[in-house]
Amino acid sequence: MVSRMFRLETEVDKARRDLLRRRLRDTNTAASPILRALRGTPAEREAPLHVWVLDANGGLAGGLVGHTWTTWLHVTYLWVDARHRGAGLGSRLLTEAERLAAERGCTASRVETWDFQAPAFYRKHGYEVVCVIPDYPPGITEYTLTKRLS
């Protein structure tokens, strides 16, 4: 009979986090021929994608922050200053990000948004809801939407 003792710890440990990430990546690579084929290629790395809208004075009127990975654009943040909403800036930001992503070889895009933010905006731009998480955070619904890029 083998006796094993384990100890649970809960402190934040960046070195262990990085070790865990490497080990999970190695496990995933071994299990997936698709991920294995990506290793060492340019598509394996996330590449930042930022689009900014500046007002006449050079102030930030809006922006989109995301990244591309493999053949996907991931929109992380899209924001337009309240003073400039309704002028089409959000649409211009999203369209430009999708164009840049397509130039990088992306064929799809994804975004997460809350019910009070912009699910209707993304649907208007051809995104489809693929996941709904109610009460995340409590009282709010989170949506994940995707779109095939042309």
Side-chain angles (χ1 to χ4, degrees):
M1 181 164 112
V2 175
S3 174
R4 297 182 185 190
M5 294 209 32
F6 297 97
R7 180 179 73 233
L8 292 176
E9 295 182 357
T10 59
E11 78 273 357
V12 174
D13 184 322
K14 291 180 182 179
R16 286 182 185 161
R17 178 204 60 200
D18 293 345
L19 175 60
L20 182 73
R21 183 175 183 213
R22 284 191 305 273
R23 288 185 178 174
L24 179 60
R25 179 181 171 206
D26 291 346
T27 300
N28 291 344
T29 300
S32 169
I34 293 168
L35 292 177
R36 197 167 33 258
L38 278 173
R39 296 300 176 237
T41 70
E44 175 188 27
R45 291 182 291 282
E46 290 181 5
L49 191 148
H50 297 182
V51 183
W52 308 107
V53 175
L54 306 178
D55 65 21
N57 298 319
L60 184 63
L64 182 148
V65 171
H67 66 270
T68 55
W69 178 70
T70 66
T71 59
W72 282 81
L73 164 63
H74 187 141
V75 176
T76 308
Y77 310 119
L78 192 159
W79 174 84
V80 174
D81 188 287
R83 296 171 295 166
H84 304 294
R85 291 185 187 146
L89 296 183
S91 296
R92 289 176 60 194
L93 287 162
L94 185 59
T95 299
E96 180 65 5
E98 291 173 350
R99 185 189 70 74
L100 292 169
E103 284 182 2
R104 295 181 185 185
C106 290
T107 58
S109 178
R110 65 173 285 169
V111 63
E112 294 85 25
T113 190
W114 286 322
D115 55 6
F116 65 87
Q117 289 178 319
F121 168 81
Y122 290 107
R123 282 192 207 107
K124 182 177 95 174
H125 288 280
Y127 284 73
E128 296 179 10
V129 174
V130 296
C131 179
V132 178
I133 305 173
D135 274 341
Y136 184 75
I140 296 174
T141 299
E142 181 181 271
Y143 294 88
T144 300
L145 299 97
T146 63
K147 176 183 177 178
R148 288 282 159 208
L149 302 176
S150 52

Short mmCIF file of all heavy atoms in Angstrom, two decimals, residues 63-121:
data_model
loop_
_atom_site.label_atom_id
_atom_site.label_comp_id
_atom_site.label_asym_id
_atom_site.label_seq_id
_atom_site.Cartn_x
_atom_site.Cartn_y
_atom_site.Cartn_z
N GLY A 63 -12.11 53.08 -28.64
CA GLY A 63 -11.05 52.14 -28.99
C GLY A 63 -11.51 50.70 -28.90
O GLY A 63 -12.54 50.38 -28.29
N LEU A 64 -10.75 49.87 -29.55
CA LEU A 64 -10.95 48.43 -29.52
C LEU A 64 -9.61 47.79 -29.21
O LEU A 64 -8.61 48.10 -29.86
CB LEU A 64 -11.49 47.91 -30.85
CG LEU A 64 -11.79 46.43 -30.94
CD1 LEU A 64 -12.95 46.17 -31.90
CD2 LEU A 64 -10.59 45.60 -31.35
N VAL A 65 -9.59 46.93 -28.21
CA VAL A 65 -8.39 46.18 -27.85
C VAL A 65 -8.73 44.70 -27.96
O VAL A 65 -9.76 44.25 -27.45
CB VAL A 65 -7.93 46.51 -26.41
CG1 VAL A 65 -6.81 45.58 -25.96
CG2 VAL A 65 -7.49 47.96 -26.32
N GLY A 66 -7.89 43.99 -28.65
CA GLY A 66 -8.09 42.56 -28.79
C GLY A 66 -6.79 41.90 -29.19
O GLY A 66 -5.71 42.50 -29.08
N HIS A 67 -6.89 40.69 -29.67
CA HIS A 67 -5.72 39.99 -30.19
C HIS A 67 -6.17 38.95 -31.20
O HIS A 67 -7.34 38.58 -31.24
CB HIS A 67 -4.90 39.33 -29.07
CG HIS A 67 -5.62 38.21 -28.38
ND1 HIS A 67 -6.43 38.41 -27.28
CD2 HIS A 67 -5.68 36.89 -28.65
CE1 HIS A 67 -6.93 37.26 -26.88
NE2 HIS A 67 -6.50 36.31 -27.70
N THR A 68 -5.23 38.53 -32.03
CA THR A 68 -5.50 37.43 -32.93
C THR A 68 -4.69 36.23 -32.45
O THR A 68 -3.60 36.37 -31.90
CB THR A 68 -5.12 37.78 -34.39
OG1 THR A 68 -3.76 38.20 -34.45
CG2 THR A 68 -6.02 38.88 -34.92
N TRP A 69 -5.28 35.08 -32.64
CA TRP A 69 -4.63 33.81 -32.27
C TRP A 69 -5.15 32.75 -33.22
O TRP A 69 -6.36 32.66 -33.44
CB TRP A 69 -4.93 33.45 -30.82
CG TRP A 69 -4.33 32.15 -30.39
CD1 TRP A 69 -3.00 31.89 -30.20
CD2 TRP A 69 -5.01 30.94 -30.09
NE1 TRP A 69 -2.82 30.58 -29.80
CE2 TRP A 69 -4.05 29.98 -29.72
CE3 TRP A 69 -6.34 30.56 -30.10
CZ2 TRP A 69 -4.37 28.66 -29.39
CZ3 TRP A 69 -6.67 29.26 -29.76
CH2 TRP A 69 -5.69 28.34 -29.40
N THR A 70 -4.28 31.98 -33.76
CA THR A 70 -4.57 31.01 -34.81
C THR A 70 -5.36 31.73 -35.89
O THR A 70 -4.86 32.65 -36.50
CB THR A 70 -5.29 29.75 -34.28
OG1 THR A 70 -6.59 30.07 -33.80
CG2 THR A 70 -4.47 29.07 -33.21
N THR A 71 -6.60 31.37 -36.12
CA THR A 71 -7.41 32.02 -37.15
C THR A 71 -8.57 32.81 -36.55
O THR A 71 -9.60 33.00 -37.18
CB THR A 71 -7.96 30.97 -38.13
OG1 THR A 71 -8.76 30.03 -37.39
CG2 THR A 71 -6.84 30.24 -38.86
N TRP A 72 -8.39 33.28 -35.32
CA TRP A 72 -9.45 33.98 -34.60
C TRP A 72 -9.03 35.37 -34.16
O TRP A 72 -7.90 35.57 -33.70
CB TRP A 72 -9.86 33.19 -33.35
CG TRP A 72 -10.73 32.03 -33.65
CD1 TRP A 72 -10.34 30.80 -34.10
CD2 TRP A 72 -12.15 31.97 -33.53
NE1 TRP A 72 -11.42 30.00 -34.27
CE2 TRP A 72 -12.56 30.68 -33.92
CE3 TRP A 72 -13.11 32.90 -33.13
CZ2 TRP A 72 -13.89 30.29 -33.93
CZ3 TRP A 72 -14.45 32.50 -33.13
CH2 TRP A 72 -14.82 31.21 -33.53
N LEU A 73 -9.99 36.30 -34.26
CA LEU A 73 -9.90 37.60 -33.61
C LEU A 73 -10.65 37.48 -32.29
O LEU A 73 -11.78 36.98 -32.27
CB LEU A 73 -10.56 38.68 -34.47
CG LEU A 73 -10.88 40.02 -33.78
CD1 LEU A 73 -9.61 40.72 -33.32
CD2 LEU A 73 -11.69 40.91 -34.72
N HIS A 74 -10.06 37.92 -31.20
CA HIS A 74 -10.74 37.97 -29.92
C HIS A 74 -10.84 39.44 -29.53
O HIS A 74 -9.82 40.07 -29.27
CB HIS A 74 -9.98 37.19 -28.85
CG HIS A 74 -10.75 37.08 -27.57
ND1 HIS A 74 -10.76 35.94 -26.82
CD2 HIS A 74 -11.55 37.95 -26.92
CE1 HIS A 74 -11.53 36.12 -25.75
NE2 HIS A 74 -12.01 37.34 -25.80
N VAL A 75 -12.07 39.96 -29.52
CA VAL A 75 -12.30 41.34 -29.10
C VAL A 75 -12.39 41.34 -27.58
O VAL A 75 -13.29 40.73 -27.01
CB VAL A 75 -13.59 41.91 -29.72
CG1 VAL A 75 -13.86 43.31 -29.20
CG2 VAL A 75 -13.51 41.88 -31.24
N THR A 76 -11.45 42.00 -26.93
CA THR A 76 -11.42 42.05 -25.47
C THR A 76 -12.20 43.25 -24.95
O THR A 76 -13.01 43.12 -24.02
CB THR A 76 -9.96 42.10 -24.97
OG1 THR A 76 -9.23 41.03 -25.57
CG2 THR A 76 -9.90 41.98 -23.45
N TYR A 77 -11.94 44.44 -25.51
CA TYR A 77 -12.63 45.66 -25.10
C TYR A 77 -13.03 46.44 -26.34
O TYR A 77 -12.24 46.56 -27.27
CB TYR A 77 -11.71 46.59 -24.28
CG TYR A 77 -10.99 45.96 -23.13
CD1 TYR A 77 -9.60 45.94 -23.10
CD2 TYR A 77 -11.68 45.41 -22.06
CE1 TYR A 77 -8.92 45.38 -22.03
CE2 TYR A 77 -11.01 44.84 -20.99
CZ TYR A 77 -9.64 44.82 -20.99
OH TYR A 77 -8.97 44.26 -19.93
N LEU A 78 -14.23 47.00 -26.30
CA LEU A 78 -14.65 47.97 -27.30
C LEU A 78 -15.43 49.03 -26.54
O LEU A 78 -16.40 48.73 -25.84
CB LEU A 78 -15.54 47.33 -28.38
CG LEU A 78 -15.78 48.20 -29.61
CD1 LEU A 78 -16.20 47.33 -30.79
CD2 LEU A 78 -16.75 49.31 -29.42
N TRP A 79 -14.98 50.27 -26.65
CA TRP A 79 -15.58 51.37 -25.89
C TRP A 79 -15.60 52.62 -26.74
O TRP A 79 -14.64 52.92 -27.47
CB TRP A 79 -14.78 51.62 -24.61
CG TRP A 79 -15.21 52.81 -23.83
CD1 TRP A 79 -16.22 52.88 -22.91
CD2 TRP A 79 -14.64 54.12 -23.89
NE1 TRP A 79 -16.33 54.15 -22.40
CE2 TRP A 79 -15.35 54.93 -22.98
CE3 TRP A 79 -13.60 54.69 -24.61
CZ2 TRP A 79 -15.07 56.28 -22.79
CZ3 TRP A 79 -13.31 56.03 -24.42
CH2 TRP A 79 -14.04 56.81 -23.51
N VAL A 80 -16.72 53.36 -26.64
CA VAL A 80 -16.84 54.67 -27.27
C VAL A 80 -17.33 55.64 -26.20
O VAL A 80 -18.29 55.35 -25.46
CB VAL A 80 -17.83 54.64 -28.46
CG1 VAL A 80 -18.06 56.03 -29.02
CG2 VAL A 80 -17.33 53.70 -29.55
N ASP A 81 -16.67 56.80 -26.11
CA ASP A 81 -17.05 57.83 -25.14
C ASP A 81 -18.51 58.21 -25.37
O ASP A 81 -18.96 58.33 -26.51
CB ASP A 81 -16.14 59.05 -25.34
CG ASP A 81 -16.33 60.08 -24.26
OD1 ASP A 81 -17.38 60.76 -24.27
OD2 ASP A 81 -15.44 60.21 -23.41
N ALA A 82 -19.24 58.40 -24.29
CA ALA A 82 -20.67 58.71 -24.35
C ALA A 82 -20.98 59.91 -25.24
O ALA A 82 -22.00 59.96 -25.92
CB ALA A 82 -21.22 58.95 -22.94
N ARG A 83 -20.07 60.89 -25.27
CA ARG A 83 -20.28 62.08 -26.10
C ARG A 83 -20.30 61.78 -27.59
O ARG A 83 -20.82 62.56 -28.38
CB ARG A 83 -19.19 63.13 -25.82
CG ARG A 83 -19.21 63.68 -24.42
CD ARG A 83 -17.99 64.53 -24.17
NE ARG A 83 -16.81 63.66 -24.23
CZ ARG A 83 -15.56 64.09 -24.31
NH1 ARG A 83 -15.31 65.37 -24.38
NH2 ARG A 83 -14.57 63.24 -24.33
N HIS A 84 -19.71 60.64 -27.98
CA HIS A 84 -19.57 60.32 -29.40
C HIS A 84 -20.41 59.12 -29.83
O HIS A 84 -20.34 58.71 -30.99
CB HIS A 84 -18.10 60.07 -29.72
CG HIS A 84 -17.21 61.21 -29.34
ND1 HIS A 84 -17.27 62.44 -29.95
CD2 HIS A 84 -16.25 61.31 -28.39
CE1 HIS A 84 -16.38 63.25 -29.41
NE2 HIS A 84 -15.75 62.59 -28.46
N ARG A 85 -21.19 58.57 -28.90
CA ARG A 85 -22.02 57.41 -29.24
C ARG A 85 -23.10 57.83 -30.22
O ARG A 85 -23.60 58.93 -30.19
CB ARG A 85 -22.61 56.78 -27.98
CG ARG A 85 -21.52 56.13 -27.18
CD ARG A 85 -22.03 55.37 -25.98
NE ARG A 85 -20.85 54.95 -25.20
CZ ARG A 85 -20.81 54.86 -23.91
NH1 ARG A 85 -21.90 55.10 -23.20
NH2 ARG A 85 -19.70 54.48 -23.30
N GLY A 86 -23.45 56.90 -31.09
CA GLY A 86 -24.46 57.18 -32.11
C GLY A 86 -23.88 57.74 -33.39
O GLY A 86 -24.61 57.94 -34.36
N ALA A 87 -22.59 57.97 -33.42
CA ALA A 87 -21.94 58.52 -34.62
C ALA A 87 -21.32 57.42 -35.49
O ALA A 87 -20.66 57.71 -36.48
CB ALA A 87 -20.86 59.53 -34.22
N GLY A 88 -21.51 56.15 -35.11
CA GLY A 88 -20.98 55.04 -35.91
C GLY A 88 -19.55 54.66 -35.58
O GLY A 88 -18.95 53.86 -36.28
N LEU A 89 -18.99 55.24 -34.51
CA LEU A 89 -17.59 54.94 -34.19
C LEU A 89 -17.40 53.48 -33.78
O LEU A 89 -16.40 52.86 -34.15
CB LEU A 89 -17.08 55.87 -33.09
CG LEU A 89 -17.02 57.35 -33.44
CD1 LEU A 89 -16.44 58.14 -32.27
CD2 LEU A 89 -16.22 57.58 -34.71
N GLY A 90 -18.33 52.92 -33.02
CA GLY A 90 -18.21 51.52 -32.62
C GLY A 90 -18.19 50.61 -33.84
O GLY A 90 -17.38 49.68 -33.92
N SER A 91 -19.05 50.89 -34.79
CA SER A 91 -19.08 50.10 -36.03
C SER A 91 -17.78 50.23 -36.80
O SER A 91 -17.26 49.24 -37.34
CB SER A 91 -20.26 50.54 -36.91
OG SER A 91 -21.48 50.27 -36.27
N ARG A 92 -17.25 51.46 -36.86
CA ARG A 92 -15.99 51.66 -37.57
C ARG A 92 -14.85 50.92 -36.89
O ARG A 92 -13.99 50.32 -37.55
CB ARG A 92 -15.67 53.15 -37.67
CG ARG A 92 -16.60 53.88 -38.63
CD ARG A 92 -16.37 55.36 -38.68
NE ARG A 92 -15.02 55.70 -39.09
CZ ARG A 92 -14.49 56.92 -38.94
NH1 ARG A 92 -15.21 57.89 -38.42
NH2 ARG A 92 -13.26 57.16 -39.34
N LEU A 93 -14.82 50.95 -35.55
CA LEU A 93 -13.78 50.24 -34.81
C LEU A 93 -13.86 48.74 -35.07
O LEU A 93 -12.84 48.09 -35.35
CB LEU A 93 -13.92 50.50 -33.31
CG LEU A 93 -13.53 51.89 -32.82
CD1 LEU A 93 -14.11 52.16 -31.44
CD2 LEU A 93 -12.01 52.03 -32.82
N LEU A 94 -15.05 48.19 -34.97
CA LEU A 94 -15.22 46.74 -35.16
C LEU A 94 -14.89 46.33 -36.59
O LEU A 94 -14.19 45.34 -36.81
CB LEU A 94 -16.64 46.33 -34.78
CG LEU A 94 -16.93 44.84 -34.81
CD1 LEU A 94 -16.02 44.08 -33.85
CD2 LEU A 94 -18.40 44.58 -34.47
N THR A 95 -15.37 47.10 -37.55
CA THR A 95 -15.11 46.78 -38.96
C THR A 95 -13.62 46.81 -39.26
O THR A 95 -13.09 45.93 -39.96
CB THR A 95 -15.87 47.76 -39.87
OG1 THR A 95 -17.27 47.62 -39.61
CG2 THR A 95 -15.60 47.50 -41.34
N GLU A 96 -12.92 47.81 -38.73
CA GLU A 96 -11.47 47.90 -38.97
C GLU A 96 -10.73 46.75 -38.30
O GLU A 96 -9.80 46.17 -38.87
CB GLU A 96 -10.93 49.25 -38.48
CG GLU A 96 -9.44 49.44 -38.69
CD GLU A 96 -9.01 49.49 -40.16
OE1 GLU A 96 -9.86 49.47 -41.07
OE2 GLU A 96 -7.77 49.55 -40.39
N ALA A 97 -11.14 46.39 -37.08
CA ALA A 97 -10.49 45.26 -36.40
C ALA A 97 -10.70 43.98 -37.19
O ALA A 97 -9.76 43.18 -37.36
CB ALA A 97 -11.03 45.13 -34.98
N GLU A 98 -11.91 43.76 -37.68
CA GLU A 98 -12.18 42.56 -38.47
C GLU A 98 -11.37 42.55 -39.76
O GLU A 98 -10.86 41.51 -40.18
CB GLU A 98 -13.68 42.47 -38.79
CG GLU A 98 -14.53 42.17 -37.58
CD GLU A 98 -16.01 42.25 -37.84
OE1 GLU A 98 -16.43 42.72 -38.94
OE2 GLU A 98 -16.79 41.86 -36.95
N ARG A 99 -11.23 43.72 -40.38
CA ARG A 99 -10.43 43.82 -41.61
C ARG A 99 -8.97 43.47 -41.35
O ARG A 99 -8.36 42.67 -42.07
CB ARG A 99 -10.54 45.23 -42.20
CG ARG A 99 -9.83 45.39 -43.55
CD ARG A 99 -9.77 46.84 -44.00
NE ARG A 99 -8.87 47.64 -43.18
CZ ARG A 99 -7.52 47.56 -43.24
NH1 ARG A 99 -6.93 46.72 -44.07
NH2 ARG A 99 -6.78 48.33 -42.48
N LEU A 100 -8.42 44.05 -40.27
CA LEU A 100 -7.03 43.75 -39.92
C LEU A 100 -6.85 42.28 -39.57
O LEU A 100 -5.85 41.65 -39.95
CB LEU A 100 -6.58 44.63 -38.75
CG LEU A 100 -6.47 46.13 -39.05
CD1 LEU A 100 -6.30 46.91 -37.75
CD2 LEU A 100 -5.34 46.40 -40.02
N ALA A 101 -7.81 41.72 -38.85
CA ALA A 101 -7.73 40.30 -38.49
C ALA A 101 -7.77 39.43 -39.74
O ALA A 101 -7.02 38.45 -39.84
CB ALA A 101 -8.87 39.95 -37.54
N ALA A 102 -8.63 39.76 -40.69
CA ALA A 102 -8.70 38.99 -41.93
C ALA A 102 -7.38 39.06 -42.68
O ALA A 102 -6.93 38.05 -43.25
CB ALA A 102 -9.85 39.49 -42.80
N GLU A 103 -6.72 40.23 -42.67
CA GLU A 103 -5.40 40.36 -43.30
C GLU A 103 -4.39 39.43 -42.64
O GLU A 103 -3.43 39.00 -43.27
CB GLU A 103 -4.90 41.80 -43.22
CG GLU A 103 -5.55 42.73 -44.20
CD GLU A 103 -4.99 44.14 -44.11
OE1 GLU A 103 -4.06 44.39 -43.30
OE2 GLU A 103 -5.48 45.00 -44.87
N ARG A 104 -4.59 39.15 -41.35
CA ARG A 104 -3.70 38.24 -40.62
C ARG A 104 -4.10 36.77 -40.81
O ARG A 104 -3.50 35.89 -40.21
CB ARG A 104 -3.72 38.56 -39.13
CG ARG A 104 -3.17 39.92 -38.78
CD ARG A 104 -3.21 40.13 -37.28
NE ARG A 104 -2.78 41.47 -36.91
CZ ARG A 104 -2.63 41.88 -35.66
NH1 ARG A 104 -2.87 41.06 -34.65
NH2 ARG A 104 -2.25 43.11 -35.40
N GLY A 105 -5.12 36.54 -41.60
CA GLY A 105 -5.53 35.16 -41.86
C GLY A 105 -6.66 34.67 -40.97
O GLY A 105 -7.00 33.48 -40.99
N CYS A 106 -7.26 35.56 -40.21
CA CYS A 106 -8.36 35.14 -39.33
C CYS A 106 -9.62 34.89 -40.15
O CYS A 106 -9.92 35.62 -41.09
CB CYS A 106 -8.65 36.21 -38.28
SG CYS A 106 -7.33 36.34 -37.05
N THR A 107 -10.35 33.87 -39.76
CA THR A 107 -11.60 33.52 -40.42
C THR A 107 -12.80 33.65 -39.49
O THR A 107 -13.93 33.42 -39.91
CB THR A 107 -11.54 32.08 -40.95
OG1 THR A 107 -11.27 31.19 -39.86
CG2 THR A 107 -10.45 31.94 -42.01
N ALA A 108 -12.55 34.00 -38.23
CA ALA A 108 -13.64 34.11 -37.26
C ALA A 108 -13.27 35.12 -36.19
O ALA A 108 -12.11 35.45 -35.99
CB ALA A 108 -13.95 32.75 -36.64
N SER A 109 -14.32 35.58 -35.49
CA SER A 109 -14.14 36.54 -34.40
C SER A 109 -15.02 36.13 -33.24
O SER A 109 -16.07 35.51 -33.44
CB SER A 109 -14.54 37.94 -34.89
OG SER A 109 -14.43 38.90 -33.85
N ARG A 110 -14.59 36.49 -32.02
CA ARG A 110 -15.39 36.21 -30.82
C ARG A 110 -15.31 37.39 -29.87
O ARG A 110 -14.35 38.15 -29.88
CB ARG A 110 -14.91 34.93 -30.13
CG ARG A 110 -13.50 35.04 -29.57
CD ARG A 110 -13.11 33.85 -28.74
NE ARG A 110 -13.78 33.93 -27.45
CZ ARG A 110 -13.82 32.96 -26.56
NH1 ARG A 110 -13.25 31.82 -26.81
NH2 ARG A 110 -14.43 33.11 -25.41
N VAL A 111 -16.35 37.51 -29.04
CA VAL A 111 -16.43 38.59 -28.07
C VAL A 111 -17.33 38.14 -26.93
O VAL A 111 -18.25 37.34 -27.13
CB VAL A 111 -16.96 39.89 -28.73
CG1 VAL A 111 -18.38 39.73 -29.24
CG2 VAL A 111 -16.85 41.08 -27.78
N GLU A 112 -17.04 38.64 -25.74
CA GLU A 112 -17.93 38.46 -24.60
C GLU A 112 -18.47 39.84 -24.23
O GLU A 112 -17.74 40.82 -24.25
CB GLU A 112 -17.19 37.87 -23.37
CG GLU A 112 -16.68 36.46 -23.58
CD GLU A 112 -15.33 36.41 -24.25
OE1 GLU A 112 -14.56 37.40 -24.15
OE2 GLU A 112 -15.03 35.41 -24.91
N THR A 113 -19.76 39.90 -23.91
CA THR A 113 -20.39 41.16 -23.53
C THR A 113 -21.51 40.88 -22.55
O THR A 113 -22.04 39.78 -22.50
CB THR A 113 -20.92 41.92 -24.78
OG1 THR A 113 -21.31 43.23 -24.42
CG2 THR A 113 -22.07 41.19 -25.44
N TRP A 114 -21.84 41.87 -21.74
CA TRP A 114 -22.92 41.71 -20.78
C TRP A 114 -24.22 42.23 -21.37
O TRP A 114 -24.22 43.03 -22.31
CB TRP A 114 -22.59 42.45 -19.49
CG TRP A 114 -21.56 41.76 -18.66
CD1 TRP A 114 -21.42 40.41 -18.46
CD2 TRP A 114 -20.53 42.38 -17.88
NE1 TRP A 114 -20.37 40.16 -17.61
CE2 TRP A 114 -19.81 41.36 -17.24
CE3 TRP A 114 -20.17 43.69 -17.66
CZ2 TRP A 114 -18.74 41.61 -16.39
CZ3 TRP A 114 -19.10 43.95 -16.82
CH2 TRP A 114 -18.40 42.91 -16.19
N ASP A 115 -25.34 41.82 -20.76
CA ASP A 115 -26.66 42.18 -21.28
C ASP A 115 -26.89 43.68 -21.36
O ASP A 115 -27.57 44.16 -22.26
CB ASP A 115 -27.77 41.50 -20.47
CG ASP A 115 -27.72 41.78 -18.97
OD1 ASP A 115 -26.89 42.59 -18.51
OD2 ASP A 115 -28.52 41.16 -18.25
N PHE A 116 -26.30 44.47 -20.47
CA PHE A 116 -26.50 45.92 -20.49
C PHE A 116 -25.49 46.62 -21.39
O PHE A 116 -25.56 47.84 -21.57
CB PHE A 116 -26.42 46.50 -19.08
CG PHE A 116 -25.07 46.38 -18.43
CD1 PHE A 116 -24.11 47.35 -18.62
CD2 PHE A 116 -24.77 45.28 -17.64
CE1 PHE A 116 -22.85 47.24 -18.03
CE2 PHE A 116 -23.53 45.16 -17.03
CZ PHE A 116 -22.57 46.14 -17.23
N GLN A 117 -24.56 45.87 -21.97
CA GLN A 117 -23.56 46.48 -22.84
C GLN A 117 -24.02 46.45 -24.30
O GLN A 117 -24.75 47.33 -24.71
CB GLN A 117 -22.20 45.79 -22.68
CG GLN A 117 -21.52 46.07 -21.37
CD GLN A 117 -20.22 45.32 -21.23
OE1 GLN A 117 -20.12 44.15 -21.62
NE2 GLN A 117 -19.23 45.98 -20.67
N ALA A 118 -23.60 45.42 -25.04
CA ALA A 118 -23.78 45.54 -26.49
C ALA A 118 -24.14 44.25 -27.23
O ALA A 118 -23.75 44.10 -28.38
CB ALA A 118 -22.51 46.12 -27.08
N PRO A 119 -24.90 43.32 -26.66
CA PRO A 119 -25.22 42.13 -27.47
C PRO A 119 -25.95 42.47 -28.76
O PRO A 119 -25.67 41.90 -29.82
CB PRO A 119 -26.06 41.24 -26.55
CG PRO A 119 -26.39 42.05 -25.36
CD PRO A 119 -25.46 43.21 -25.31
N ALA A 120 -26.87 43.44 -28.71
CA ALA A 120 -27.61 43.82 -29.92
C ALA A 120 -26.67 44.45 -30.96
O ALA A 120 -26.84 44.22 -32.17
CB ALA A 120 -28.74 44.79 -29.57
N PHE A 121 -25.70 45.22 -30.51
CA PHE A 121 -24.72 45.83 -31.42
C PHE A 121 -23.97 44.74 -32.20
O PHE A 121 -23.84 44.81 -33.42
CB PHE A 121 -23.74 46.69 -30.61
CG PHE A 121 -22.52 47.13 -31.37
CD1 PHE A 121 -22.57 48.22 -32.22
CD2 PHE A 121 -21.31 46.45 -31.23
CE1 PHE A 121 -21.44 48.63 -32.92
CE2 PHE A 121 -20.19 46.86 -31.93
CZ PHE A 121 -20.25 47.95 -32.77
#
